[in-house]
């Protein structure tokens, strides 16, 4: 009997990430979702890469164009590990724009403030 590997995490899309995905052509969106699903089951830096202490990116290359969805981990709930995708971009240069990292970090902080207002 074949064993089915459990995914390492769930993925949740914030509004900006959903808007980005919905703005893309269906084929591109399907490829990004496929890669995110694949990343949930494997440790592949080509699909999911750490950028800073807190910010990661889902990576997709489609027709010589690089698509990125920024994300962070929510491990506060002991039962489920969740990766929150903040927003996306079509990458034009080799270096990730600092403003995009700052936006992802801002959205991460806002997420945890809303989740646990006591902190």
């Amino acid at each position: 009997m074949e064993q089915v590997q459990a995914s390492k995490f769930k993925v949740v899309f914030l509004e900006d990430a959903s808007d980005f995905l919905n703005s893309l052509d269906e084929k591109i969106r399907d490829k990004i979702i496929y890669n995110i699903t694949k990343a949930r089951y494997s440790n592949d830096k080509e699909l999911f890469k750490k950028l800073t202490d807190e910010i990661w990116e889902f990576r997709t290359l489609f027709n010589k164009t690089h698509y990125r969805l920024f994300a962070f981990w929510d491990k506060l709930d002991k039962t489920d590990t969740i990766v929150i995708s903040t927003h996306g971009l079509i990458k034009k240069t080799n270096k990730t724009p600092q403003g995009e990292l700052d936006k992802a970090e801002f959205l991460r902080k806002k997420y945890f403030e809303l989740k646990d207002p006591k902190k």
Side-chain angles (χ1 to χ4, degrees):
M1 201 160 109
E2 189 179 327
Q3 281 192 320
V4 178
Q5 182 184 358
S7 68
K8 298 176 187 318
F9 52 84
K10 292 180 180 177
V11 180
V12 173
F13 299 97
L14 296 183
E15 187 176 354
D16 285 359
S18 292
D19 290 347
F20 173 73
L21 287 171
N22 290 331
S23 74
L24 299 172
D25 179 78
E26 186 179 358
K27 282 184 179 176
I28 299 164
R29 187 171 50 247
D30 288 348
K31 174 72 176 195
I32 292 170
I33 297 298
Y34 171 80
N35 281 353
I36 289 172
T37 302
K38 210 168 144 184
R40 293 175 56 217
Y41 293 91
S42 68
N43 291 332
D44 186 344
K45 286 185 172 67
E46 292 301 310
L47 297 175
F48 191 49
K49 182 179 175 187
K50 187 174 187 174
L51 298 177
T52 69
D53 284 346
E54 302 290 346
I55 304 302
W56 292 64
E57 70 179 357
F58 289 107
R59 305 155 56 95
T60 298
L61 176 61
F62 186 85
N63 285 346
K64 299 181 181 169
T65 303
H66 296 270
Y67 298 87
R68 299 293 188 258
L69 275 168
F70 295 94
F72 61 88
W73 295 82
D74 178 351
K75 297 180 185 176
L76 298 180
D77 183 347
K78 299 293 180 226
T79 55
D80 290 325
T81 299
I82 303 171
V83 172
I84 312 295
S85 180
T86 59
H87 68 291
L89 64 85
I90 297 171
K91 201 163 175 198
K92 307 264 193 252
T93 63
N94 286 337
K95 191 159 173 41
T96 302
Q98 185 61 46
E100 301 298 336
L101 292 171
D102 293 344
K103 179 177 180 178
E105 182 59 34
F106 171 80
L107 291 169
R108 185 186 78 81
K109 286 180 178 160
K110 189 171 153 187
Y111 168 85
F112 284 112
E113 284 170 8
L114 292 171
K115 184 175 178 182
D116 188 4
K118 296 183 296 285
K119 289 189 177 179

